[in-house]
Every structure is written in structure tokens, then in C-alpha cells.
Amino acid sequence: MSAATKLPYYDASKVREKASGRWLEIFAYLAYEEFGEAIQKPKKHHTCPIHGTRNKSGKGDGFKFFKDVVDSGGGVCNTCGPFPDGFRLLQEVKGWDFRTTLAHVAEFVGVKSEQEEREAKKSSRSSTSKPAPTQPQSTTASQSGGVVPISPQVNQVEPSAHDVSKFAPTPERMEEIKKLQEQIAKRQAQASAEAQEQIDRIWRESIPLNNGIPGPLYKYLQKRAVLLRLEVLLEGDNIRFHRELPYYDEDDDGKVIVVGKFPAMIAAIRDLKGNIITLHRTYLTPRGAKANVECPRKMMAVPDDKTVTGCAIQLGGFPTDGVIGVAEGYETAASPLRVYGIPTWSCVSASILEQFEPPKGVHTVIGWEDKDRSLRGELAMQALKVNLEEKGIRFIRMPIRRKIPTGAKSIDWNDVLVKEGIIGMPAYNQLMKVIQGG
């Protein structure tokens, strides 16, 4: 029997609820060795605890916690991509499966396993007939400075895999971290309001494409072989152009500075009701190349009262025949849209892709898969396949049957289209045959 199967069962929703508001404490206790630097200065970029490197300039821009880290536990690395919550981050840095991660977090926040809950109820019902045996009193989080020891029950599972207490900071440091996350929580409400204001302002400043495609954007889409017909780009008002969008970065002291102003493609990430949740920005040069900045493609922050789960850049509008495509990046989604004319939505990242929710009436989803050395794109599509098929929706996976180029981290369908042209894409008749179940 594997270690995971010996673990008690915890209700993930209960653990998630209890963990909200305490993720810095959780990281400090379970993974201080990996996250210590980032915990002390959560607003700055740091060496990534996953791939462990900084960029070529030596500046620590590999990893940074999300602004709502206290509640979500999420973070992002410019190389590894985003991790939507603390469970995913701990799984990645500790090498644990989900059940192991859930057990550790549950113990710290004081959530009992379902078995313990049942036994407690049984004991309570029988207490009227006979006295319950005396049990040693467990230490609460408040009594131990926020640290809840790993319980004997979980120590039944591979002690070496669960011996994380040696990495925990001192009780004094835990108290400092607790105060720090309280301060972050207060700032978070203000940051959320500012994020919404910035989203509204940038979208308002951006130019709709009703009168044509501005030069830098036209050249960029042309270079990426996804220069769609104007009526397709106009569908749903999902793509706009900003003439001078500021690009922000941090100096060595963590101070936010404006690197410059660039033309940019602005894409609306909408929910199924059509509401804009946040924006995705692609910074460009006047000649249509990606701007020479650290991260030319960025998603804006998501306000606290919203979520990107199930959202996408809705390229091609809503499907009318029950068939829709889905991909990670904008250019990847625009590639099959251009070739086949099937609405194909961009989820921006693998994490959002896994939770993709097609609109009502969709019976078939075509997944245009990225091929990554890390296998992230493949794993995201596998997760999406499971999610959709559980809902009775047919899923057609479109993997890339080519080697990743030497020196590259990945290859996507837009790379195929740019290099090989339409002939490199699956034949139209073959794809239609698969869609029709042939």
C-alpha cells in the first residue's frame, strides 16, 4: 500500500476555508526552507523555489506571491507559470501529492479528518450512557504561536516524508509572520479596488478595432500568422489596442518603476455572462515585435470579488453548432480559429485551462495542446478532459507530434503555423470527420 492510501480523508473544502487568511503561516511552518525569503518580503520577486534560478541579469524576478497570497496561497514564476493556490505550490516545491498536502495543511489549521469527525459524533452520542475515556489535550494554534504539531495519525504514513517541523521557524518568527499577513490582508482590500479601477481605465483607454487594426497590432498578428478577418476580431469586443501602455517593473530595492510606454494588444478575459474579469496585455514595438521587456505578455490582477476560473479570451464569439476549441495562449487559440473558423477560446495559462467551462449548448471541445518539456500542457489537457467528460461533454485532444526545438522550453500550434503554414495543421477534412464522430 502506498503512503498516500494510508492517509486519513479530509474534506478539501473545509481545509481550504480554514486555510484562507493564513497561508503565510502555513508556508512558514511547512516549507520555510523554500519560501522563507519570499515570506519575509512577499511584495518582491525572489529566486524561484521550484526551478531555483534567477534571470540572466541576476535580478530575483523568478518567483513572487500573488497579492492575495494570504487568502489564496498562490504565486507565479516567469518560468514555471502561475500556481493558483497554496496547495498547488506546496505540491510543486515539496513533491507531495494532493492528499499528502491536504493532510499537512489540515493539521496546521486544525481541521479533523472525516474519520475523526465520525468518531467524535459517535462518542458524543454514547457519552450519555458511559463516560468517554480521557484523552491528552492537543495543542491549539494559539497556544503554540500558530504552529500545530504533526499528529501521530499522519505520522503513520512514511515519517520521513512528513517530517517538516525541522524547517519551521521559531515561535517568535511565526508571530512576526502572523502580524505580517494581517497587514497584507488590510492592504489587500485597497489593492483589489485599485486593480478594478486600473482594469476599467485601461479598457476605456484602449481603442476598439471598428475602424481597422492599428499598425503595430496588424504587424504583430501578421508575424504570428493569425491576422484574422476584421469581423472575427470584432466579435464580442474582446481585442483592443493601447497606444502607450506603461510597463512596470521593480528596481533592486523592490520599488515599482515605469520602464517605458509601449503599444499593446489588450485582450478581455470574460466570464460566460460576458463580464470582463481582468485583462491580458501583450507589449509590442512599433514594428510589431514583442517589446524588449522582462515579461511582454502579462495578465492583470484579478479583483478579490472575482475569479478567472472558467473564464477565457472568447475568440470567435460563442459557438452556434455545439463545437468549441480551447487553448492556452492567445496566438495558439487564434491559429485553429484562422484555419478552421471554429470559435477557439484562450485561457491564457495552463492553470486556468484546467478549469475551463464551455458555454451552454456545447457538446464537443477541441483541446489544442501545448507541448512543454515540463509536460505542463499535456497534464492540463488531461485534467480538462476528465472535468469535461464527467459533465458528459466530448473532448478531442490535439497534441503536437513534433519534437521541441533545441534550446526551447515548448512548442505550440502557433509555432507550427508560423513555421509550416496551414499545411502543418491537421487536414480540414480529417478534423471535421473526427468532430462528426467518424
Side-chain angles (χ1 to χ4, degrees):
M1 182 180 290
S2 66
T5 58
K6 298 178 184 178
L7 282 166
Y9 175 76
Y10 292 89
D11 186 326
S13 62
K14 293 179 182 178
V15 180
R16 194 178 298 276
E17 182 180 357
K18 285 286 188 179
S20 180
R22 299 188 64 187
W23 273 107
L24 288 187
E25 291 178 77
I26 295 167
F27 288 143
Y29 185 69
L30 297 178
Y32 194 73
E33 185 177 67
E34 294 87 349
F35 287 118
E37 182 181 287
I39 290 170
Q40 295 303 313
K41 297 180 180 179
K43 295 180 68 176
K44 293 185 65 176
H45 285 90
H46 301 275
T47 300
C48 179
I50 300 165
H51 76 272
T53 58
R54 298 173 181 241
N55 70 358
K56 294 180 180 178
S57 69
K59 184 178 177 181
D61 72 339
F63 175 83
K64 184 178 182 180
F65 282 129
F66 289 156
K67 291 181 180 179
D68 69 344
V69 62
V70 172
D71 292 328
S72 72
V76 62
C77 169
N78 290 344
T79 298
C80 303
F83 298 88
D85 58 40
F87 297 102
R88 290 291 295 275
L89 265 179
L90 284 174
Q91 284 180 258
E92 196 70 30
V93 302
K94 304 302 292 189
W96 296 333
D97 60 24
F98 179 73
R99 286 193 65 187
T100 302
T101 306
L102 188 66
H104 280 309
V105 176
E107 287 170 353
F108 182 85
V109 298
V111 174
K112 295 180 180 179
S113 69
E114 293 300 286
Q115 181 181 355
E116 288 176 308
E117 291 280 5
R118 288 194 297 271
E119 290 175 351
K121 291 179 181 179
K122 183 187 297 183
S123 176
S124 176
R125 287 195 298 268
S126 62
S127 63
T128 56
S129 57
K130 62 178 182 178
T134 303
Q135 298 286 344
Q137 187 174 3
S138 61
T139 305
T140 65
S142 60
Q143 291 170 334
S144 60
V147 178
V148 178
I150 299 296
S151 71
Q153 187 174 16
V154 173
N155 281 337
Q156 296 171 6
V157 185
E158 302 290 340
S160 61
H162 289 264
D163 185 16
V164 295
S165 59
K166 63 182 179 180
F167 301 133
T170 63
E172 291 78 16
R173 178 56 60 85
M174 286 295 292
E175 190 61 33
E176 292 176 11
I177 292 168
K178 188 174 182 179
K179 291 179 180 178
L180 174 62
Q181 69 177 14
E182 288 173 354
Q183 294 171 3
I184 294 174
K186 290 180 181 178
R187 291 198 299 264
Q188 191 174 312
Q190 179 180 355
S192 177
E194 292 174 352
Q196 185 62 63
E197 181 181 347
Q198 189 177 31
I199 289 168
D200 293 341
R201 177 177 54 78
I202 290 178
W203 187 248
R204 189 171 57 249
E205 292 174 351
S206 299
I207 305 168
L209 306 183
N210 305 67
N211 296 320
I213 307 172
L217 179 56
Y218 183 95
K219 294 173 185 176
Y220 174 71
L221 297 177
Q222 189 177 50
K223 289 176 185 289
R224 300 312 306 173
V226 288
L227 188 58
L228 305 172
R229 299 191 313 274
L230 185 58
E231 59 266 29
V232 176
L233 281 174
L234 288 174
E235 182 72 38
D237 189 21
N238 293 307
I239 304 299
R240 291 188 177 186
F241 177 76
H242 199 291
R243 296 187 185 279
E244 293 184 309
L245 187 66
Y247 182 91
Y248 298 93
D249 203 348
E250 295 178 355
D251 61 18
D252 293 334
D253 297 323
K255 182 180 178 181
V256 177
I257 58 173
V258 178
V259 174
K261 294 183 178 181
F262 304 87
M265 178 174 71
I266 308 298
I269 300 176
R270 298 180 185 270
D271 63 17
L272 292 177
K273 295 180 180 178
N275 302 310
I276 294 179
I277 303 303
T278 189
L279 302 176
H280 186 272
R281 303 155 292 176
T282 303
Y283 290 87
L284 305 171
T285 67
R287 295 186 176 183
K290 289 181 181 177
N292 185 24
V293 293
E294 285 294 338
C295 190
R297 305 179 76 242
K298 285 186 174 184
M299 185 176 80
M300 295 184 67
V302 180
D304 287 349
D305 60 342
K306 297 180 179 179
T307 177
V308 291
T309 299
C311 300
I313 303 171
Q314 299 170 352
L315 296 179
F318 282 67
T320 57
D321 58 359
V323 180
I324 193 172
V326 66
E328 289 186 40
Y330 171 88
E331 296 84 355
T332 308
S335 298
L337 173 59
R338 178 202 161 191
V339 176
Y340 309 105
I342 298 172
T344 306
W345 293 4
S346 162
C347 292
V348 178
S349 73
S351 299
I352 302 175
L353 175 70
E354 292 175 341
Q355 304 298 323
F356 173 70
E357 296 177 6
K360 289 182 179 180
V362 167
H363 55 72
T364 300
V365 172
I366 308 169
W368 297 91
E369 183 178 302
D370 285 7
K371 186 174 184 179
D372 308 305
R373 294 193 187 279
S374 66
L375 302 181
R376 186 69 182 95
E378 179 182 346
L379 293 173
M381 281 297 178
Q382 288 177 351
L384 177 60
K385 180 179 186 292
V386 172
N387 291 339
L388 293 178
E389 290 182 347
E390 286 179 349
K391 300 174 182 177
I393 297 173
R394 183 174 175 230
F395 182 80
I396 301 173
R397 177 182 165 224
M398 301 298 292
I400 297 176
R401 308 296 188 187
R402 292 160 179 78
K403 291 183 178 180
I404 298 175
T406 302
K409 295 183 296 184
S410 63
I411 182 173
D412 59 41
W413 281 104
N414 183 244
D415 296 323
V416 174
L417 182 62
V418 169
K419 184 177 180 180
E420 303 177 28
I422 293 178
I423 196 172
M425 303 291 286
Y428 179 87
N429 290 341
Q430 290 179 346
L431 180 59
M432 294 302 109
K433 187 176 180 181
V434 172
I435 291 174
Q436 293 164 11

